Amino acid sequence: MIYPIIPKPQKITTGDTVVFTLTKYCEIEGADKFPKAINSLKKFLAESFSLELLGTGKEKIRFELCNEISADEGYTLSVKADEVIIRGRTEAGIFYGIQTLKQMLMYGDLSLCSAEIEDEPAFPYRGFMLDSGRYFFTKEAVFTFLEIMALHKLNYFHWHLTEDQGWRFQSEKHPLLTEIGSYRSHTNFNSVPHSGYYTKEDMKEVVEYAHALHIKVIPEIDTPGHTVSAIAAYPFLSCFDRNMVTATKWGVKHDVLCVGKESTFEFMQAVLDEVVEIFTDGIIHIGGDEVPTTRWELCPHCQKRMKDEGLKETSDLHTYYLSRIGNYLRDKGMEVIMWNDRVKDYMPDSSLCWQFWNTDMDKKDIEGEIKKGRSFIISPERAYYLDLPYGLVNLKSCYEYDPYIEGLTDENKHLLKGVEACLWAEFVPDMEKAGYCTFPRLGAISESAWTKKENKSYENFSERLDGYYKHIKAININHATLKQAIPTGIRKTASTLYWERRKLCWGGLENLITNSKIQKMYGKKDK
């Protein structure tokens, strides 16, 4: 039997004869030592097969720690007559062995042929990002995503909590962030109001749920751009104290945090203090991309900041902000991640990890950051952005993207921490659309994250999709069919055209009008 496991194990050999059938009488050995891993298996059996193990029969599933396994997340899985043995160096390894066992049991309807598996991840960082800023996903929906991550052996949940269109992090020190900033009057293509935020208790529950699945949680508080929702709540955060409303339209906004006011930093540091208290995994994402300097060029506070700090260009304020916030968080012992965007000699120091989404950057600039020793997480827009239509990023191109960017060598490839799939939500309003966008592409990306390059093959991956779909359907979540995931002809064209309609709700014209008004009000006057 060929087991359609995704992501593909590094080594697997199988027989053709059924030697093990799981029944309610199966006994589990080692359950008391690995509660997180065992709970994952029991939950799967109850939900997928309505099966509760009694433990009085001859069949056994054994779990053991084994120091001979070199990787912390590595495992071995052996199926023999009436026995399944999963060994791991740590409980995390045993947990991932169970994720493999789940797929085998689903495909074989609880019957297994003999098998020997040796497995470990290609990358230590295997991420999934959910954008809750634009459309709010309930706490229960987040739990579903975490379960799906675990099945795909992903171990970092990047939670995008703030956007121009919505602030979802509850702050006790600044309650208007959610009282005002979590609400927008309408969304794209409709007039329906949208709102929602996570209480501190909600977020603590998410962290606890994730940890039970061996997943770390990385909150993102995106600044100094993408902050209209915060400015709507507290106008003093902007350059001109303008009264605004939470953004309703798609697109990069020109109203960003004022970097010239000291009150901006005091405010953000207080918010980040609350974030650090809830998210205990020692990592935080500060956003940092797509920051127009339009307001800063006219703002007297920002211009004074430039003069006081000896900054030469208005864009230097961007770096000043990121460096100062990054240093504040590092002093608290946090690892800091930012989106890759602007590249200049005065970039924030190399301790800030880059999440690499912008592949249009000059190769020399990227190589320069590699030479500085900057670490990378790979999330290319035209391969790992799950919101993009299949006409632009089909399943095959998603699978075949090589995360080893130019400039990495044997000496510095350790700087590549791993890969991350990103589900942006401005055009993903609900779980039905989220499932369609995510599956089967998340399977492809998980294989790039877990399976070593030499063991990957799109043709082999395609052969395993039938079994993969069986598991996705069992989760009861929507997905794209293979024809939809690899569109051709009219289907491909229609997919792309449907996506391009987003330009109808782009806020670019609004930016131009507002910029003209602000220039007239605050620009230099001719004498």
Side-chain angles (χ1 to χ4, degrees):
M1 177 184 290
I2 299 176
Y3 287 106
I5 302 165
I6 292 177
K8 182 183 178 182
Q10 310 303 346
K11 294 181 182 180
I12 179 170
T13 57
T14 60
D16 297 320
T17 304
V18 172
V19 297
F20 179 92
T21 299
L22 184 63
T23 69
K24 64 181 180 179
Y25 302 109
C26 180
E27 181 180 351
I28 293 181
E29 293 185 0
D32 56 328
K33 299 178 182 177
F34 315 109
K36 293 180 182 179
I38 305 307
N39 286 341
S40 177
L41 177 60
K42 288 182 176 180
K43 187 172 186 291
F44 162 74
L45 293 174
E47 293 177 350
S48 300
F49 296 98
S50 299
L51 184 64
E52 182 178 354
L53 301 182
L54 301 178
T56 58
K58 65 176 182 177
E59 301 93 356
K60 288 183 174 59
I61 301 179
R62 287 200 288 128
F63 301 98
E64 302 174 350
L65 292 179
C66 179
N67 289 329
E68 294 180 4
I69 296 173
S70 58
D72 284 345
E73 296 177 298
Y75 69 92
T76 64
L77 190 155
S78 179
V79 181
K80 300 179 179 180
D82 299 323
E83 187 176 46
V84 174
I85 306 171
I86 295 178
R87 295 185 175 95
R89 184 177 181 84
T90 65
E91 184 177 355
I94 288 175
F95 180 83
Y96 292 126
I98 285 177
Q99 306 317 305
T100 294
L101 179 61
K102 286 181 185 179
Q103 294 192 44
M104 296 169 72
L105 290 169
M106 177 65 72
Y107 185 68
D109 290 324
L110 299 179
S111 293
L112 303 178
C113 293
S114 60
E116 295 291 337
I117 296 175
E118 296 179 24
D119 203 9
E120 64 182 36
F123 292 113
Y125 187 105
R126 306 176 301 280
F128 171 79
M129 188 214 79
L130 176 64
D131 171 17
S132 291
R134 294 181 172 92
Y135 273 102
F136 176 75
F137 288 88
T138 66
K139 177 180 65 178
E140 291 71 25
V142 175
F143 291 164
T144 298
F145 280 116
L146 291 171
E147 291 284 356
I148 290 168
M149 285 182 62
L151 178 66
H152 289 77
K153 300 184 177 72
L154 303 177
N155 61 347
Y156 284 89
F157 176 51
H158 173 183
W159 203 2
H160 191 81
L161 288 166
T162 66
E163 256 304 334
D164 293 307
Q165 294 83 2
W167 186 283
R168 312 301 180 195
F169 176 88
Q170 182 189 41
S171 168
E172 293 175 356
K173 297 177 182 176
H174 303 292
L176 297 184
L177 285 172
T178 48
E179 290 178 20
I180 294 175
S182 69
Y183 170 88
R184 57 172 167 164
S185 61
H186 63 279
T187 62
N188 294 321
F189 306 118
N190 65 38
S191 57
V192 179
H194 185 77
S195 63
Y197 65 91
Y198 304 100
T199 67
K200 288 195 170 182
E201 190 58 37
D202 289 335
M203 292 181 283
K204 289 176 181 178
E205 286 183 39
V206 167
V207 171
E208 183 179 1
Y209 200 101
H211 288 175
L213 299 171
H214 292 274
I215 294 171
K216 294 183 178 181
V217 183
I218 303 172
E220 180 180 352
I221 306 297
D222 195 355
T223 60
H226 295 280
T227 51
V228 171
S229 60
I231 294 171
Y234 294 96
F236 75 84
L237 292 172
S238 65
C239 286
F240 303 108
D241 295 6
R242 295 173 60 229
N243 290 320
M244 303 179 63
V245 297
T246 303
T248 58
K249 297 180 180 179
W250 165 78
V252 176
K253 313 304 179 188
H254 287 208
D255 286 286
V256 300
L257 297 185
C258 178
V259 180
K261 297 176 184 175
E262 197 62 23
S263 57
T264 299
F265 290 93
E266 293 170 355
F267 182 96
M268 284 311 307
Q269 288 168 2
V271 170
L272 292 172
D273 286 347
E274 293 184 86
V275 174
V276 170
E277 288 178 4
I278 293 172
F279 296 96
T280 56
D281 289 314
I283 314 172
I284 192 167
H285 202 301
I286 60 173
D289 69 329
E290 298 179 329
V291 185
T293 61
T294 313
R295 302 288 181 265
W296 295 346
E297 291 166 5
L298 300 176
C299 174
H301 305 288
C302 291
Q303 293 302 308
K304 183 177 185 302
R305 176 77 72 186
M306 287 182 62
K307 182 178 179 181
D308 292 346
E309 299 294 335
L311 306 179
K312 297 179 181 180
E313 302 177 26
T314 308
S315 58
D316 294 1
L317 289 167
H318 186 188
T319 300
Y320 173 84
Y321 177 89
L322 294 173
S323 295
R324 184 165 168 180
I325 291 296
N327 288 336
Y328 181 79
L329 290 168
R330 282 199 302 276
D331 287 345
K332 290 179 170 291
M334 303 295 289
E335 180 182 348
V336 183
I337 304 172
M338 59 175 284
W339 298 103
N340 79 299
D341 197 14
R342 193 183 307 276
V343 176
K344 290 189 177 181
D345 291 339
Y346 48 77
M347 272 291 295
D349 69 71
S350 58
S351 66
L352 270 72
C353 175
W354 254 12
Q355 185 159 0
F356 186 79
W357 73 275
N358 183 1
T359 57
D360 293 332
M361 298 181 67
D362 191 296
K363 294 179 181 178
K364 291 182 180 179
D365 290 332
I366 298 170
E367 290 174 356
E369 295 305 308
I370 291 174
K371 289 179 180 178
K372 290 179 184 177
R374 189 179 303 283
S375 59
F376 292 81
I377 297 165
I378 301 300
S379 299
E381 178 184 18
R382 287 303 180 99
Y384 290 174
Y385 273 24
L386 300 174
D387 58 306
L388 292 179
Y390 288 99
L392 290 178
V393 180
N394 67 34
L395 180 63
K396 189 173 189 291
S397 63
C398 177
Y399 185 89
E400 292 185 337
Y401 180 84
D402 185 357
Y404 287 93
I405 56 178
E406 289 190 42
L408 289 174
T409 64
D410 289 340
E411 288 74 28
N412 58 32
K413 66 181 181 182
H414 65 278
L415 296 175
L416 176 54
K417 299 176 68 173
V419 306
E420 181 174 294
C422 297
L423 181 59
W424 296 104
E426 186 60 4
F427 297 92
V428 182
D430 49 43
M431 287 296 284
E432 182 177 2
K433 183 64 180 292
Y436 175 84
C437 291
T438 302
F439 307 105
R441 282 189 291 203
L442 190 63
I445 297 171
S446 74
E447 196 143 299
S448 292
W450 182 274
T451 308
K452 294 179 180 179
K453 185 176 180 179
E454 59 269 24
N455 294 329
K456 287 184 59 186
S457 160
Y458 179 74
E459 288 71 26
N460 182 269
F461 173 76
S462 300
E463 293 171 357
R464 287 176 277 128
L465 280 175
D466 285 344
Y468 177 77
Y469 274 124
K470 183 175 181 180
H471 211 118
I472 295 302
K473 289 175 182 177
I475 299 172
N476 196 29
I477 193 167
N478 192 30
H479 60 83
T481 66
L482 193 54
K483 283 187 177 180
Q484 290 170 329
I486 308 182
T488 57
I490 295 177
R491 187 190 293 273
K492 179 178 180 180
T493 302
S495 171
T496 304
L497 289 176
Y498 185 80
W499 171 254
E500 290 302 325
R501 74 182 183 131
R502 76 196 195 286
K503 293 179 180 178
L504 297 174
C505 58
W506 178 54
L509 180 60
E510 186 178 279
N511 282 339
L512 294 175
I513 294 172
T514 304
N515 290 348
S516 178
K517 291 180 179 179
I518 296 225
Q519 177 66 39
K520 187 175 181 179
M521 294 174 64
Y522 301 103
K524 292 181 180 179
K525 305 294 191 296
D526 295 331
K527 294 183 179 180

